[in-house]
Amino acid sequence: MWKYYPELLERPVPRYTSYPTAADFDNDVGAAELEEALGQVKLCDDISLYVHIPYCDQICWYCGCNTGRANRTQRLNAYMTALFGEIELVARDLGQCGRVKRIAFGGGSPNAISAHDFAALVDHLSDAFHLADPVQSIELDPRSFTPEWRDVIAAIQIGNVSLGVQSFDPAVQAAIGRVQPLDMVSDMVDDLRGAGVSSLNFDLMYGLPGQTVETLIETLEASLALKPDRIALFGYAHIPTLIPRQRRIDDSILPDAKQRFDMAATGYNFLIDAGYQAIGFDHFALPTDPLGRAGLNRAVRRNFQGFTDDQSDILIGLGASAISEFPGYIIQNEKNSGRYRALIDQNQLAAVSGVKRSMSNQVHGAIIEEILANGEADLTPLGPVSGQAESLAPYINRGLVEIVDQRVHLHESAKPYARTIAAAFDEIRKASTGTFSQAI
């Protein structure tokens, strides 16, 4: 179904988990703007919370997340104290407004902290905010999963869990510094299902060192045997100049561009044939899962957590490096955990950078999101489509895209080019290359 047009994939482009992107943040937006945005939240507004735990028991070499080793109890305790303090500051500025409909815990690995501390964190959120029976999600590392964590997930009734799997091939695992046997993940899945988890996601990757189409298929087969409700199949982004830990990866055995494309295409076809619904360009969900239903109804959204069925326009990030998103602002907390703690200790919000979203940003951002999430978008707000047709000509001429009645529509064969197609509507960097990942 997919044809390889390397010239359409040459330009590195953002993942567009926001628009403007994090590359456009500056220090002119910070704590004052976050306080302003929080003060404008209405009593009946739906809110999603994201809580960031920037620690892992073991650091994987490929990982680009803001995370460090969880090898000092004092460091973890100090971070949790600051996180509780930030929760209180944000709740103060909200003034009991807003209804929390979703809570996502990410990292790093939230299970780098103890199950007891996690339960205390959930209690703190419950005391500080108006929780309206929220959907709760968490990312977990199988290597540090314990019976205590199983019990707390059951007690708190967390319904959505995402596991970092990446690959089940032992050689690939060794090459990326993430060794976790299949039995470890299988036992964990049994525990999570027994704890009441109804939506289970596996994060998988292609383009890893030493990986082949054959070993990717073996990982997909092993994954399907465990019956996850969702699968995210990401392309590994090798940027060692920006992510020093990636220098431990032998880049001489990384798949080339064509091999990456073949892996992405193989994974896509394999999962579709297995009954999964394609969500955007790299997520998959069973039709019975809420994300799968959103895909069928063209109601998928995209935010910093990837493709989602979350419809809220207000996302409040808590923790070091966490990002908050409002219609008029995108605002990021201090990334460094030590400086983050210092700001909270001074009774200050930890927001230090971001961007004010102009109306033009919002219009272009909505189009980019619709293209990526649902494969089509209304171009009417941009006026005459002649300019858009010109910028999309390489895709139109190859039968990947069409514009009909002021709407751009991506055919299924356009999936691997979705990010570069969306980039045609990026008013900030039309001619820029930037330091971004490969589009596939």
Side-chain angles (χ1 to χ4, degrees), residues 144-159:
S144 48
F145 187 69
T146 63
E148 291 76 19
W149 265 96
R150 176 201 60 209
D151 294 343
V152 79
I153 285 170
I156 294 171
Q157 298 182 318
I158 293 179

Side-chain angles (χ1 to χ4, degrees), residues 44 55 58 75 83 121 133 138 168 205 222 224 232 244 285 305 310 320 345 353 370-371 380 422 434:
C44 60
Y55 297 102
Q58 303 175 57
R75 177 195 294 172
L83 183 57
L121 171 59
D133 192 24
I138 190 168
F168 282 121
M205 298 184 81
L224 293 195
Q305 295 153 51
D310 183 0
D345 287 346
S353 66
E370 281 296 311
I371 286 172
T380 303

